[in-house]
Amino acid sequence: MQLPPFAYHRPASLDEALARLSTAGDSVAALGGGTDLLINLKLRLERPRALVSVRDLPELAGVSLDASGTLRIGAGERLTDLAAHPLIVVPYPGLAQAIRAVGSQHVRNMATLGGNLCLPTRCWYTNQSENWRGSQLPCWKTDGQVCHVIKTAPNCRAIHSADSVPALISLGARVLLRSSQGERELLLADFYRDDGIENNVLAPGELITAVLVPPARVRSTFVKAAARTGLDYGYATLAGALTGSNRVPKSLLLVAGSVGTMPLVLQKPAQIILAEGLNEAGIEAAADAVRDDLGEVTNLFTPPGYKKRLMRGLVRRVLHELRRQKLPAAD
Ligand SMILES: Cc1cc2nc3c(=O)[nH]c(=O)nc-3n(C[C@H](O)[C@H](O)[C@H](O)COP(=O)(O)OP(=O)(O)OC[C@H]3O[C@@H](n4cnc5c(N)ncnc54)[C@H](O)[C@@H]3O)c2cc1C
């Protein structure tokens, strides 16, 4: 499959990039590492006439701590560098594990954090060549009025499977967004929408410039179930972040990925652990409860029943791992 023709811009500053992105409407796209976007261009799933490279912009670079201990990660940072960064590996093991779970080493050498956060949803019906799609009926994502995978779906249910996202949401991360209109900051959890087509709130011409992660006074972990380790998207993923002790946990965020059009915060298992403590009985009860939280599982790559059993196992693994980890100094 060949790339279609497009204009390529490599601006020297964020202002220049935002100016380019704001003038060309829908026919321009930001280019991070290109590990997903260029494939989508080949599949003709996206048809921008111009790409604006953002990964080497100085304003999107750097990993640093501010005086309060908040971690700032530039959106242009490569995943390979982040997976080994001393400000991430020890204080945020869950985030480091999640970043290491993205694709292969080659993919992570190119891919940026901003690109991972903006990864479009995927579905086995649409993520095919234009020729293949041409021989099928259109679906919600390709200007049709129906989902061919989940016949009753009222909108596109393609799956969100960016691995860094559940880990960052479990840590309470925020994103900084910039456009030529100005800057805004929001919780990463509020960045996503329950729609397989428009699955985030990024406005046209807007970029993610950085991610802000609160001070690391948590235990955290991330697990991923995939067909092949080191290459494939997850069948399901789960990130967890805990404060307090095993006997008296103070807060617990469990965030599942690859189970729907957006990351899913698991409420019931977390409530059970907060009420009963992080002990064997609590872990078993929390794993049993995940079924209710998942509701109708609309994953398109595995049968729904399998996905629910898988999530039960992931809840157990995450909670056992959190229980095993040492308490951070601040607790
Ligand atoms: C073989 C293979 C396996 C993969 N496996 C995984 C996996 O297991 N887990 C996973 O999460 N991903 C996986 N991916 C997808 C992809 O490689 C990663 O999600 C990667 O992090 C995307 O980053 P990128 O910089 O290459 O994004 P790009 O491809 O450059 O861009 C992706 C999207 O983000 C937008 N974008 C980029 N930067 C910004 C920014 N700063 N602000 C706003 N929008 C921006 C682009 O316009 C585009 O819409 C895989 C890809 C391949 C080819």
Side-chain angles (χ1 to χ4, degrees):
M1 277 180 291
Q2 295 203 325
L3 280 170
F6 56 83
Y8 174 74
H9 303 290
R10 196 166 174 215
S13 70
L14 178 59
D15 283 346
E16 187 189 339
L18 294 175
R20 288 239 179 243
L21 287 164
S22 67
T23 46
D26 277 352
S27 66
V28 64
L31 179 69
T35 59
D36 187 69
L37 182 57
L38 295 181
I39 292 174
N40 290 342
L41 258 65
K42 288 182 179 176
L43 297 175
R44 307 301 192 264
L45 281 170
E46 294 177 51
R47 299 169 186 272
R49 286 204 293 274
L51 299 185
V52 178
S53 176
V54 298
R55 73 172 175 174
D56 292 325
L57 293 174
E59 296 88 342
L60 270 63
V63 181
S64 57
L65 280 183
D66 74 9
S68 72
T70 298
L71 178 73
R72 180 197 179 278
I73 310 175
E77 287 292 322
R78 312 299 197 274
L79 298 186
T80 292
D81 299 333
L82 297 179
H85 200 288
L87 289 179
I88 295 177
V89 173
V90 175
Y92 304 99
L95 178 55
Q97 286 162 334
I99 292 170
R100 278 197 294 271
V102 174
S104 64
Q105 183 68 58
H106 300 84
V107 169
R108 293 190 297 276
N109 288 347
M110 296 294 291
T112 62
L113 184 62
N116 194 242
L117 299 191
C118 297
L119 183 72
T121 58
R122 297 172 61 255
C123 159
W124 63 257
Y125 191 84
T126 42
N127 286 70
Q128 305 282 357
S129 70
E130 193 175 31
N131 281 346
W132 188 92
R133 292 198 310 275
S135 67
Q136 311 288 323
L137 295 169
C139 67
W140 289 116
K141 215 173 195 177
T142 53
D143 295 332
Q145 295 284 304
V146 66
C147 174
H148 298 290
V149 181
I150 303 162
K151 306 282 178 206
T152 53
N155 65 349
C156 175
R157 308 308 300 163
I159 295 295
H160 181 264
S161 40
D163 286 327
S164 72
V165 174
L168 284 166
I169 292 179
S170 75
L171 294 168
R174 306 179 71 81
V175 274
L176 285 179
L177 309 179
R178 269 287 291 278
S179 71
S180 48
Q181 314 297 311
E183 185 172 69
R184 59 181 175 135
E185 182 181 324
L186 66 161
L187 265 178
L188 182 60
D190 296 336
F191 180 70
Y192 296 100
R193 303 177 65 234
D194 190 16
D195 177 347
I197 300 174
E198 298 284 336
N199 90 315
N200 65 48
V201 300
L202 208 63
E206 201 170 34
L207 281 177
I208 297 184
T209 54
V211 177
L212 305 175
V213 189
R217 298 188 191 104
V218 289
R219 288 180 269 174
S220 67
T221 192
F222 172 88
V223 291
K224 172 172 174 173
R228 292 169 298 179
T229 310
L231 186 63
D232 281 322
Y233 289 94
Y235 288 148
T237 62
L238 185 65
L242 175 82
T243 63
S245 66
N246 291 343
R247 208 165 50 79
V248 189
K250 286 189 200 146
S251 69
L252 172 63
L253 263 172
L254 293 170
V255 187
S258 298
V259 292
T261 58
M262 60 186 286
L264 178 70
V265 178
L266 302 178
Q267 306 286 353
K268 273 204 171 175
Q271 283 161 8
I272 289 171
I273 296 299
L274 292 178
E276 300 201 5
L278 192 50
N279 51 44
E280 212 48 59
I283 291 175
E284 281 310 305
D288 286 345
V290 74
R291 217 184 157 75
D292 305 338
D293 249 42
L294 291 173
E296 183 197 2
V297 176
T298 55
N299 188 287
L300 314 169
F301 296 97
T302 56
Y306 175 73
K307 176 78 45 139
K308 288 190 175 180
R309 286 204 303 279
L310 198 58
M311 279 306 302
R312 195 167 184 272
L314 295 190
V315 170
R316 274 208 199 97
R317 277 174 61 190
V318 160
L319 293 176
H320 278 294
E321 171 57 22
L322 290 175
R323 187 162 71 145
R324 194 194 61 76
Q325 283 181 18
K326 282 202 188 106
L327 260 63
D331 276 331

